[in-house]
Every structure is written in structure tokens, then in C-alpha cells.
Amino acid sequence: MHRLFITLILLSLTCGSHAAEVDNLYQASSPVSSRDAQERAALMPQLLQQVMLKVVGNKALLETAALAPVLSEAEQYMQQYEYRRTNIAAADLTQPDQLSLTLRFDPAAVNRALTALELPIWGSNRPDILIWAVIEASGESSILGLETAPMVVFRPLSQAADQRGLPILMPLMDLQDQRALTISDLKQSNQAAIDSASDRYGADIVMTAVVKLNDDEAQVSWSANGAGLNDTWQSQGDVQEAFAAGVGHLADKLALQYGQRVDNGGEAQRLTLQIKDVLSYADFTRLMTYLEQLELISDIRVINLGAQQLDLDIAFRGSLEVLQRTLSVGSLLVEEPQSNSNDAKLYRLTP
């Protein structure tokens, strides 16, 4: 991905965006040697399986499912294909161009297949993850910044996140970041300093990585805090393997919290949401746009629109607990204690 594009994403997320909607869940890419149709057909099952991993989220759950019948019919799920010159897209002119194939699969068809296999589906509205990474190489240490990240680290990290459908942010490492956080803070897990430096980015999860590079090998110590997680783990191997394993661990954990098994044959549940501080038409539009993109919600009806509160009746499928956890992503809606005994859920819309 071009760094300018990532910069624009980062700026949009740090200037008022309250949720990260992953828009590439149903597509996957692979290097190819040509535009040959037979080579494309041979790659379809592999790329469909990659998409299913992103959508289910948890690798162990996917590995227990009987995927062979679905993968054997991968062509029926494909919507479109595209060939790209990947180094042009990555703006890395120091390497020769490499041809890659990107396949996009039909989201509704993939979801039906996963539901038939009794696998959970993790929607596109996902916690965004800020990564503070210390790189140790050749006796020197530095904090990875958006504009200073070496491609040998930046590319495998972004690829690992893309392969698991995780929206990641990288710090700007401008003067404000440099004053707020040091290499020692990250190595010693100074959580107070890490949290303070992270506030400006508004991420749901703050992840740290201490990466020790030795030629093409990497040893990484990870930690993650936020969205109900407080975890540490290790990964190692070549750089690609180490990042894939480390990011994959986080994806596996999050998928267990946000993935939802849905019985499409069952009746949808209904819930009343009372949402305070809806003060303008812009607030109303922002809220409705957010709710309508949530896959768990199948119907939204306005019950009452008062001077400062909006009452909605929504239909949803699956677990109420998972729905509430999903609504907390991005902190657009903050749940508040209910003062009466009815079954409505009270939220406050943040600015």
C-alpha cells in the first residue's frame, strides 16, 4: 500500500473517525507468474480460504471445519479478478515489479457458506489497532514511524494485518510522539507513558512490539491492551513468519470476542436503543450510517426523536453480548447505566 494512502487513512482516523470499517475482507491476493486462466483457477481455492480466515477471524476454528466441498467450488463464489504490479502500488522502485492476482468473492455467498458450516462471522466493523514497535538491528534501536519505517519491516507488517483483516495504525513519530514516548518506555512496558502517548490516536487497542532483527530472522515480543484484552506473547522466524504469527495471535483472540454464529433460519431478536446527545441532523445521519453498516443489525426503526434523545427499535441476530461489544468499538456510542427497569439499552453519542 502506498504510504501516502496510509497517511490519509491515519489522518482520517485521528480526526474524528470512531470506527474502522475493513473494506477488503472478501478479497485476497497472491503473486503470479502470468495472466494465465489456468493459473488463476488453480489459485482460487487458496485465496477463498484466505478470505474465509479473515471473515471467521480465528484460525483454529477454521481448521476444524470441513472446507473441502466449498473450496472445490471456489469459482462459484468469485465476483471479479484483477492483476496488479505490486511494487508500483507499494511505491518501492528499488525492487523489480511483481505481478499479483487479486480475487474478490461474493460476501453474501461466503457468509452463507460459513453459516452452513456453523462457523462464526466477524463483521467489517473492527477495533483499530495502534502499533508502537521498537526495531533493534545492528546494535541500534529505533521506534517505527509511519514515514521512517524500513520496507523490510513495514511491508511484512502491513501484509500480516491485511491477511487477517486487522485495521492498523502507525504513529507519526513527530515531535509530539518523540517527547511523549521513549524506546526505554516501550522495552520496559511503561504502560502509563504508552497510554498517554496513544491518546491522540484514539485507537481501540494499543499494541507494542519489540523486534530483534538478525539478518532475515526476527524475534518479537508483543503486548496488547484495550477492547477487553491484556495480553503478551512471542513470535519468531523470518520477518514475514514472525509478523504473521504475532498479528495472527491477536486476530485469533479478537475473533473469539467479536465473531458471531448466526442462524439465518431463526427469528431475529429486537432491542430498544435510547441514545442521548443526538443534537442535530448531522448527529442523526452519522449514527444511522454507523448502525446500518453493522452486519449483526438487520432492521432499524425510529420510535421517537426528541430534542436530545433518539429512540430506536433494532432487529439483530445472534448474541446480545457480542452486539454490545461491537457497539463499543470506536467509542462512538458509550453505554450508560439505565435508571429504570425496562429492557432498553441507554447510550450516549460522542461528538
Side-chain angles (χ1 to χ4, degrees), residues 284-298:
F284 174 82
T285 301
R286 181 164 55 101
L287 172 62
M288 295 299 287
T289 300
Y290 168 72
L291 293 175
E292 287 168 357
Q293 77 181 15
L294 298 182
E295 291 86 346
L296 297 177
I297 297 176
S298 57

Side-chain angles (χ1 to χ4, degrees), residues 285-347:
T285 301
R286 181 164 55 101
L287 172 62
M288 295 299 287
T289 300
Y290 168 72
L291 293 175
E292 287 168 357
Q293 77 181 15
L294 298 182
E295 291 86 346
L296 297 177
I297 297 176
S298 57
D299 182 44
I300 305 173
R301 302 174 186 174
V302 176
I303 301 175
N304 181 58
L305 178 57
Q308 295 186 345
Q309 179 172 305
L310 173 65
D311 295 343
L312 299 174
D313 173 48
I314 68 167
F316 69 97
R317 297 186 182 276
S319 163
L320 174 59
E321 182 181 358
V322 174
L323 174 64
Q324 290 180 269
R325 196 175 292 137
T326 301
L327 290 175
S328 71
V329 169
S331 299
L332 177 70
L333 292 174
V334 177
E335 188 169 3
E336 300 208 330
Q338 184 61 278
S339 59
N340 53 49
S341 59
N342 63 35
D343 293 331
K345 297 295 181 182
L346 181 63
Y347 287 88

Side-chain angles (χ1 to χ4, degrees), residues 84-106:
R84 298 176 180 172
R85 293 289 177 179
T86 56
N87 284 339
I88 292 175
D92 181 8
L93 302 181
T94 65
Q95 299 294 325
D97 289 349
Q98 183 180 60
L99 186 66
S100 72
L101 169 67
T102 298
L103 298 183
R104 177 169 175 80
F105 296 91
D106 179 10

Side-chain angles (χ1 to χ4, degrees), residues 9 42 62 86 163 176 200 203 234 256 273 275-276 291:
I9 292 174
L62 193 69
T86 56
Q163 288 169 1
Q176 181 175 338
R200 68 184 294 204
Q234 310 282 327
L256 294 178
L273 299 180
I275 304 170
K276 298 164 52 179
L291 293 175

Side-chain angles (χ1 to χ4, degrees), residues 26 70 76-77 106-119 121 262 264:
Y26 294 89
V70 177
Q76 297 183 22
Y77 294 86
D106 179 10
V110 171
N111 286 355
R112 284 194 299 269
L114 294 173
T115 299
L117 291 168
E118 298 184 347
L119 288 167
I121 294 172
V262 176
N264 288 328

